[in-house]
């Protein structure tokens, strides 16, 4: 290339650069400059909560708001059945391909992800982003306790207590009062079944709602720290209290108290059966407030929903002011997928999450609420009050189980409530053997 041509080319390049600068200066300050396609940041959320429900709905709304101002940051939600979630997350973690954020079970399953260095330290990250004050300290302590004080690696999108919700109209019709003992509750169930009313709605397809019932009985027998004592090998699942718990829940299933084909009922269907007045009672956590407060989905009305604590067990040491307390199905972030753009998105979404969840859905979360809505649902107020007066919180059944033990507990419990030839002793023995194997 001749010197003259090189000068012409250089001049042409400088002119183009100047034109580019002038064009940028003339652009509106409200618009981001166009970016090449490879600079698009996609934030993927793997969750078992449907897009239009609960925490997924709130996160999705806030993500859309952020994307409208930052079009190069795109949010996508992938919904997966909760029963498939554990295996999917494990596979993605093993290949170092976890999405930016994902649902997962707290406790030992999450501890495995933490130990593999796959999860983002959220306490450190929130401190760096200047937003740690948005988290309720009690929720932070709870989540740390679940993972043996390893740190904060999950967000408390909910803050829940568990217990029995009941249809006030049905109870009133048959002149029933809130039971305070399991014997009283089972008498109510028997009477309702005789009257053609399904006593309980249970999502057997999801498996964990059944193990929650075993846990509910066990913590009234042994006290709120029952599963912590199992984890420390101070209690055996083959002990008489757990055997009584599993036998009671099996009898409930075989007696038809859970309705026909319980293992085909998913979570959404079980909630709808209750909210449509087709079942008298539903054991679940206060995370279900999002559905109870939904005037379209709730056909019986908020005023017709009552709540009672897990009933007492004869000879047991549990008390009515002790509740299973949890932060729901938590959300974690991938350490390898985290970058500055994800951090900015995180700051926008989760600085606003607590207020939006309370304001729109009446959800009680582990995020501080800066502005309490004037029209908070009475159920939400009731739950908040009970959370404030919990004497002691209890773990759920599988909280300290390994992933293998957790899956075993879930898979076999479906058989327990439908097959009288599969005994409670067999169920608990197999589960204890798996726990003992993990200790070796």
């Amino acid at each position: 290339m001749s010197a003259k041509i090189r000068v012409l080319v250089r001049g042409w390049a400088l002119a183009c650069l100047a034109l580019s600068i002038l064009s940028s200066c003339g652009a509106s300050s409200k618009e981001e400059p166009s970016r090449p396609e490879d600079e698009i940041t996609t934030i993927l959320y793997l969750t078992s909560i449907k897009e239009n429900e609960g925490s997924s709905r709130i996160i999705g709304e806030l993500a859309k708001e952020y994307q409208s101002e930052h079009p190069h940051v795109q949010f996508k939600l992938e919904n997966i059945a909760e029963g498939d979630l554990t295996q999917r997350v494990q596979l993605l973690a093993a290949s170092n391909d976890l999405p930016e954020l994902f649902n997962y079970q707290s406790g030992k399953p999450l501890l495995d992800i933490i130990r593999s260095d796959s999860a983002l330290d959220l306490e450190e990250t929130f401190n760096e982003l200047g937003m740690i004050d948005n988290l309720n300290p009690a929720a932070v302590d709870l989540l740390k306790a679940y993972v043996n004080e390893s740190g904060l690696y999950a967000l408390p999108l909910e803050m829940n207590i568990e217990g029995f919700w009941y249809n006030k109209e049905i109870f009133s019709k048959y002149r029933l009062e809130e039971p305070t003992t399991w014997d009283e509750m089972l008498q109510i169930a028997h009477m309702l079944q005789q009257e053609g009313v399904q006593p309980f709605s249970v999502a057997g397809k999801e498996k964990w709602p059944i193990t929650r019932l075993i846990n509910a009985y066990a913590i009234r027998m042994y006290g709120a720290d029952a599963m912590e004592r199992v984890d420390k090998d101070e209690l055996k699942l083959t002990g008489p209290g757990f055997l009584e718990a599993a036998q009671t829940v099996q009898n409930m299933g075989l007696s038809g108290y859970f309705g026909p084909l319980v293992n085909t009922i998913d979570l959404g269907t079980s909630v709808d059966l209750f909210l449509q007045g087709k079942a008298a009672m539903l054991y679940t956590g206060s995370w279900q407030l999002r559905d109870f407060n939904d005037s379209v989905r709730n056909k019986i009305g908020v005023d017709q929903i009552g709540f009672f604590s897990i009933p007492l067990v004869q000879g047991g040491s549990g008390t009515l002011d002790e509740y299973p307390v949890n932060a729901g199905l938590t959300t974690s972030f991938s350490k390898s997928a985290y970058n500055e753009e994800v951090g900015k998105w995180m700051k926008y979404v989760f600085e606003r999450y607590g207020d939006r969840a309370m304001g729109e859905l009446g959800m009680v979360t582990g995020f501080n609420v800066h502005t309490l809505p004037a029209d908070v649902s009475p159920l939400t107020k009731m739950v908040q009050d009970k959370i404030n007066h919990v004497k002691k919180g209890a773990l759920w059944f599988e909280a300290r189980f390994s992933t293998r033990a957790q899956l075993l507990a879930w898979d076999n419990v479906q058989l327990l409530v439908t097959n009288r030839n599969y005994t409670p002793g067999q169920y608990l023995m197999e589960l204890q053997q798996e726990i003992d194997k993990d200790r070796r």
Side-chain angles (χ1 to χ4, degrees):
M1 182 184 293
S2 69
K4 183 176 181 180
I5 292 176
R6 281 198 296 271
V7 169
L8 289 172
V9 169
R10 188 180 298 116
W12 175 81
L14 289 172
C16 288
L17 177 60
L19 181 60
S20 174
I21 293 172
L22 288 171
S23 297
S24 297
C25 292
S28 170
S29 61
K30 294 182 180 180
E31 296 179 0
E32 291 196 348
S34 61
R35 295 167 179 257
E37 189 174 341
D38 60 1
E39 287 190 29
I40 295 294
T41 296
T42 299
I43 295 177
L44 176 63
Y45 186 20
L46 181 65
T47 176
S48 62
I49 301 174
K50 294 179 181 178
E51 188 172 12
N52 63 342
E53 296 180 358
S55 55
S56 288
R57 170 178 157 182
I58 302 302
I59 291 172
E61 288 178 359
L62 291 167
K64 287 178 183 177
E65 292 175 11
Y66 187 82
Q67 186 173 330
S68 68
E69 296 293 328
H70 307 83
H72 67 287
V73 180
Q74 299 179 0
F75 175 75
K76 292 185 179 179
L77 184 146
E78 180 182 348
N79 186 251
I80 182 173
E82 189 169 344
D84 300 327
L85 186 63
T86 298
Q87 186 176 17
R88 178 73 176 278
V89 170
Q90 287 178 332
L91 290 172
L92 291 170
S95 59
N96 194 33
D97 196 28
L98 282 169
E100 283 71 16
L101 61 163
F102 55 94
N103 279 157
Y104 205 47
Q105 294 286 342
S106 293
K108 283 194 175 177
L110 180 57
L111 195 55
D112 292 338
I113 300 295
I114 295 169
R115 288 170 175 166
S116 70
D117 202 30
S118 300
L120 182 69
D121 184 330
L122 291 170
E123 187 169 27
E124 178 182 328
T125 303
F126 269 44
N127 271 313
E128 290 175 353
L129 296 173
M131 53 184 294
I132 193 67
D133 290 342
N134 283 276
L135 291 174
N136 183 314
V140 171
D141 290 344
L142 182 69
L143 289 171
K144 286 182 176 180
Y146 286 164
V147 292
N148 298 336
E149 304 299 333
S150 296
L152 181 67
Y153 290 88
L155 292 179
L157 301 183
E158 300 169 1
M159 191 72 172
N160 303 299
I161 56 171
E162 295 179 16
F164 288 90
W165 306 82
Y166 68 96
N167 185 314
K168 289 183 178 180
E169 184 176 358
I170 292 176
F171 268 53
S172 176
K173 179 179 179 179
Y174 296 102
R175 298 180 181 179
L176 302 173
E177 296 182 356
E178 294 180 5
T180 57
T181 68
W182 275 79
D183 285 343
E184 290 173 359
M185 184 172 70
L186 294 178
Q187 289 170 9
I188 288 172
H190 178 72
M191 189 276 290
L192 288 173
Q193 188 184 51
Q194 294 295 106
E195 295 291 337
V197 178
Q198 183 174 318
F200 299 92
S201 183
V202 179
K205 187 175 182 179
E206 312 291 352
K207 307 173 185 178
W208 62 263
I210 308 175
T211 61
R212 285 293 212 274
L213 290 170
I214 296 175
N215 187 68
Y217 193 101
I219 65 174
R220 288 298 183 252
M221 176 61 75
Y222 291 115
D225 61 349
M227 297 315 297
E228 291 172 316
R229 292 165 64 193
V230 169
D231 184 53
K232 295 174 183 176
D233 205 20
E234 297 172 1
L235 274 179
K236 294 288 187 182
L237 290 178
T238 49
F242 284 106
L243 187 63
E244 190 174 314
Q247 184 69 68
T248 298
V249 173
Q250 182 182 55
N251 290 343
M252 292 168 74
L254 295 178
S255 297
Y257 294 169
F258 301 155
L261 304 174
V262 60
N263 290 331
T264 67
I265 303 299
D266 62 21
L267 188 60
T269 302
S270 72
V271 174
D272 286 337
L273 285 171
F274 177 70
L275 292 180
Q276 293 169 10
K278 297 177 181 177
M281 291 174 280
L282 173 70
Y283 181 88
T284 190
S286 53
W287 58 80
Q288 225 66 63
L289 284 172
R290 61 182 178 244
D291 300 312
F292 296 167
N293 290 326
D294 184 339
S295 59
V296 175
R297 190 171 184 185
N298 183 354
K299 306 299 183 184
I300 62 176
V302 171
D303 293 341
Q304 293 303 319
I305 297 178
F307 176 86
F308 59 87
S309 182
I310 297 167
L312 301 175
V313 172
Q314 185 175 4
S317 57
T319 62
L320 292 173
D321 53 5
E322 297 174 340
Y323 295 85
V325 179
N326 63 70
L329 190 60
T330 56
T331 288
S332 299
F333 278 73
S334 165
K335 182 177 180 180
S336 62
Y338 182 79
N339 55 36
E340 185 179 355
E341 288 287 7
V342 175
K344 292 177 181 178
W345 179 91
M346 180 191 292
K347 182 176 175 65
Y348 181 91
V349 171
F350 292 107
E351 278 186 336
R352 295 161 175 79
Y353 177 83
D355 284 61
R356 188 70 65 87
M358 173 64 78
E360 286 196 16
L361 302 179
M363 286 173 56
V364 179
T365 75
F367 287 78
N368 293 322
V369 175
H370 303 100
T371 306
L372 189 67
D375 57 347
V376 173
S377 159
L379 288 179
T380 299
K381 288 182 179 178
M382 179 271 292
V383 167
Q384 187 69 69
D385 181 66
K386 289 189 179 295
I387 287 175
N388 291 340
H389 292 89
V390 170
K391 180 180 178 182
K392 190 173 183 181
L395 294 174
W396 64 97
F397 195 57
E398 308 88 2
R400 296 292 177 87
F401 289 2
S402 68
T403 301
R404 289 195 307 274
Q406 180 191 77
L407 294 175
L408 182 67
W410 285 352
D411 291 340
N412 288 354
V413 83
Q414 290 184 315
L415 190 61
L416 180 71
V417 296
T418 55
N419 187 340
R420 66 179 66 255
N421 293 321
Y422 184 63
T423 67
Q426 188 177 351
Y427 172 76
L428 293 167
M429 181 184 66
E430 291 174 356
L431 194 49
Q432 184 64 57
Q433 287 175 344
E434 184 63 44
I435 292 171
D436 291 340
K437 189 188 304 181
D438 291 331
R439 291 196 176 103
R440 294 173 194 155

